[in-house]
Amino acid sequence: MRVKFWGVRGSIPVPGRQTNRYGGNTSCVEVRTEDGPRIIIDAGTGIRRLGKELMHGEFGRGEGTAHLLISHTHWDHIQGMPFFAPLYQKGNHFYVYARQRDDVHLRAVFQSQTEDPYFPVPFDEVKAEVAFRELIEGARFEIGPIKVACTRLNHPWIAIAYRLDYQHGSVCYATDTAPFRDVLLENEFIREAPRLGAPLAPADAQKLRKMQESLVRLCEGADLVIYDTMFTPEEYRRQPHWGHSCPDDAIEICRAAGAKQLALFHHSPERADDEIDSILAHYRKVTPRLDIMAAAEGVELKVGR
Ligand SMILES: [Zn+2]
Ligand SMILES: [Zn+2]
């Protein structure tokens, strides 16, 4: 299984000299296997360049099929979608997976993204066949020879984490999420930061515990865990209700799960390359038994045997 990072940034694309090395595009990860269909996780602005590359092959001829797993539909995870060239090529097939909402169908979510006056081409004009698959909590399914599992995360309006297993390799993608101790984030916008250390309502605490256990199970023994580490501990203390984690939280999950490698991901738009270097160096030093890397645009990893 090969995993390639096309966008590693959180919230908003940040091109420029300070972010050139790790990359300024928002979330997009490609997973390829020898005999399975192509999988793309999230459609942040990183997907634009992936789309251009795909157009040189079968997708340019209208013979491509890809499965898009969407963590959630916040802008930074879907904003590259209208610029994904293979969508405008007749004959291509796409399957888009995301969490089932109570109110709107997934197709309507994507349709509204390009409604007038926000974009010139309405979604119904795309030439490829696009099918939507809404996922319920804890769904498990197969995409060809690849086994997929998912679980929910602690994020405003909920995000989902995915695990892909293929032959003897496994990768988990867990963004966006807050840690599971200070605040339960669901279908509401929390205006003010909760007081850290204050006891939670027992029902909330129990929900968070279950969510965390389920995420640990999802990541169990994984070869690679790609995890939301947007915050430094200090930033987290200021914005615990924004739904993002620090490397410490990712390490805690990876340790509990016995995962082999952690990729720091969803870097803060504020974070310059040099800062990512020093964050990485620090966590490598204090966490010797876990292989830690910082996801960077263009980097491809071989996962499993
Ligand atoms: Zn995000
Ligand atoms: Zn989000």
Side-chain angles (χ1 to χ4, degrees), residues 71-77 155-156 158-159 175-177 228 242-244 266:
S71 62
H72 63 313
T73 54
H74 284 163
W75 270 21
D76 51 325
H77 300 261
H155 193 64
I158 304 174
T175 198
D176 303 2
T177 190
D228 170 4
W242 281 17
H244 298 288
H266 203 272

Side-chain angles (χ1 to χ4, degrees), residues 59-250:
F59 288 85
R61 301 191 298 271
E63 296 164 2
T65 295
H67 296 254
L68 267 83
L69 305 178
I70 303 292
S71 62
H72 63 313
T73 54
H74 284 163
W75 270 21
D76 51 325
H77 300 261
I78 60 162
Q79 68 201 146
M81 195 76 161
F83 300 91
F84 184 52
L87 275 182
Y88 302 94
Q89 177 66 52
K90 196 170 168 14
N92 288 332
H93 285 80
F94 294 98
Y95 299 89
V96 181
Y97 304 72
R99 180 180 75 89
Q100 184 173 52
R101 297 173 60 109
D102 304 333
D103 47 1
V104 224
H105 190 274
L106 194 51
R107 176 177 283 276
V109 174
F110 281 92
Q111 269 168 344
S112 61
Q113 189 189 9
T114 49
E115 258 169 23
D116 178 64
Y118 306 111
F119 198 69
V121 189
F123 190 80
D124 293 337
E125 292 290 312
V126 307
K127 299 281 191 302
E129 289 290 326
V130 185
F132 290 90
R133 299 199 166 154
E134 299 190 306
L135 302 174
I136 52 159
E137 174 105 41
R140 285 167 175 272
F141 51 99
E142 280 164 26
I143 299 176
I146 304 157
K147 289 193 172 64
V148 186
C150 60
T151 190
R152 68 154 289 191
L153 296 168
N154 193 26
H155 193 64
W157 278 278
I158 304 174
I160 53 180
Y162 293 98
R163 177 188 176 115
L164 306 181
D165 277 277
Y166 173 75
Q167 292 180 353
H168 299 289
S170 49
V171 58
C172 290
Y173 179 89
T175 198
D176 303 2
T177 190
F180 306 88
R181 56 168 190 269
D182 297 311
V183 56
L184 173 66
L185 300 164
E186 288 193 293
N187 298 315
E188 63 173 325
F189 172 64
I190 297 179
R191 277 194 175 70
E192 280 179 32
R195 204 156 52 81
L196 296 181
L200 292 172
D204 288 5
Q206 198 197 357
K207 230 174 176 175
L208 286 169
R209 207 176 314 118
K210 281 181 78 174
M211 223 187 280
Q212 181 171 18
E213 283 167 9
S214 169
L215 180 59
V216 168
R217 267 201 305 279
L218 191 86
C219 296
E220 204 173 291
D223 292 300
L224 172 66
V225 175
I226 301 165
Y227 205 100
D228 170 4
T229 54
M230 182 152 128
F231 284 152
T232 62
E234 195 210 341
E235 287 164 351
Y236 174 75
R237 282 193 288 276
R238 283 200 301 268
Q239 284 115 11
H241 55 315
W242 281 17
H244 298 288
S245 293
C246 311
D248 308 75
D249 307 309

